[in-house]
Amino acid sequence: MEGRSIVFASGKGGTGKTTIVANLGVALAQFGREVILIDADITMANLSLILGMEDIPITLHDVLAGEADIRDAIYEGPAGVKVIPGGLSLEKIKKAKPERLRELIREISQMGDFILIDAPAGLEITSVTALLIGKELIVVTNPEISAITDSLKTKLVAEKLGTLPLGAVLNRVTSEKTELTKEEIEAILEVPVLSTVPEDPEVKRASAYGVPLVIKNPTSPAAISTKQLAAKLAGVKYTPPEPESPIKRVFRALFGGRR
């Protein structure tokens, strides 16, 4: 059976898209789903860094250059999520042929329940190629007008390419008065906001350790929002854990969670 191929795109860089893809993939795997994450950002691949999977010998770049089989570029990551990482070598970037992604996705889609594709930001040729290979689209954006405007362009291009927009993930929300509301964003993008992920200092801490947030601190606000989105996509029930009290957070920070 063919899995759901969902491409995650953003109109501009800095929205936190790759962090969303990494943590959502791990969360889906925690719910028992077979998940494959693909780093389709040919020039700025960093999905593997968030997952703590540096120094990978064979990457998507080797496959796109015709120098390796796709099965040799699939690695097991946290919680059993499968990852097809991108390469960081400039030489490999030059050799990679993004147009081969479309034929590869047909093979990959038979291997999992969900295939999550991390597309490059913007609307360059590599970004448009990534939009082509996913059957569904989730836009990751921030609640500011410039990000929403760029996200609208991305959504319109995806629709023209035949990719179905599922909705948007509103990331790094602080609830400042200058931010657009969920209702305003839905009216502009004409898609539902599937998840609102708050600005959370635990995201940077998890990234520094190379451990997905949903594993390092599953009770943090951003982790809970991500798990809720994963449950929605997987069709499972999820009851968020009780948030930690300030005293417990201080205790855990000082003593590493020891009782």
Side-chain angles (χ1 to χ4, degrees):
M1 185 178 174
E2 191 172 302
R4 290 178 67 181
S5 56
I6 306 173
V7 59
F8 288 75
S10 59
K12 57 180 281 188
T15 61
K17 169 179 55 63
T18 299
T19 299
I20 292 290
V21 173
N23 281 281
L24 183 62
V26 172
L28 282 165
Q30 289 175 327
F31 286 133
R33 299 299 185 265
E34 290 286 333
V35 185
I36 300 175
L37 305 181
I38 304 175
D39 194 340
D41 193 337
I42 305 300
T43 55
M44 298 290 284
N46 57 15
L47 181 64
S48 57
L49 302 178
I50 293 174
L51 294 166
M53 300 173 67
E54 301 93 337
D55 303 320
I56 297 293
I58 299 174
T59 69
L60 179 64
H61 287 70
D62 297 301
V63 179
L64 294 178
E67 297 176 356
D69 185 89
I70 188 64
R71 294 176 188 274
D72 295 327
I74 300 176
Y75 300 86
E76 185 163 323
V81 68
K82 301 293 192 303
V83 184
I84 302 177
L88 299 174
S89 160
L90 289 175
E91 195 58 42
K92 289 184 178 181
I93 289 170
K94 288 179 187 175
K95 290 182 180 180
K97 297 177 180 177
E99 62 271 15
R100 292 197 64 208
L101 275 169
R102 288 194 79 176
E103 58 190 75
L104 289 173
I105 197 70
R106 294 191 189 99
E107 186 178 351
I108 297 164
S109 63
Q110 305 296 325
M111 302 179 188
D113 301 315
F114 288 92
I115 294 84
L116 307 187
I117 304 154
D118 185 17
L123 287 172
E124 301 298 325
I125 184 64
T126 52
S127 310
V128 173
T129 302
L131 290 176
L132 268 170
I133 65 176
K135 290 190 175 178
E136 300 172 291
L137 167 75
I138 290 179
V139 175
V140 180
T141 189
N142 303 137
E144 56 190 49
I145 191 63
S146 61
I148 299 300
T149 302
D150 289 339
S151 295
L152 178 59
K153 294 173 190 172
T154 300
K155 187 209 101 169
L156 293 173
V157 169
E159 284 180 321
K160 286 187 177 180
L161 294 172
T163 306
L164 175 68
L166 283 182
V169 170
L170 200 52
N171 195 30
R172 307 188 67 177
V173 176
T174 63
S175 299
E176 291 183 7
K177 290 183 178 179
T178 55
E179 292 181 346
L180 296 173
T181 66
K182 175 184 171 182
E183 291 73 24
E184 288 170 333
I185 291 165
E186 288 180 332
I188 295 169
L189 295 181
E190 296 185 324
V191 294
V193 170
L194 303 172
S195 176
T196 300
V197 183
E199 181 72 70
D200 187 342
E202 290 299 321
V203 173
K204 285 186 179 178
R205 294 190 186 111
S207 181
Y209 281 95
V211 179
L213 178 67
V214 292
I215 290 177
K216 182 159 181 61
N217 192 344
T219 62
S220 66
I224 289 172
S225 294
T226 304
K227 292 275 280 187
Q228 287 172 326
L229 176 57
K232 186 183 295 184
L233 290 174
V236 299
K237 187 176 180 182
Y238 168 66
T239 303
E242 289 292 325
E244 286 185 323
S245 67
I247 294 174
K248 191 173 181 181
R249 275 202 301 272
V250 170
F251 189 91
R252 182 169 55 77
L254 290 173
F255 303 106
R258 293 195 298 269
R259 298 292 186 268

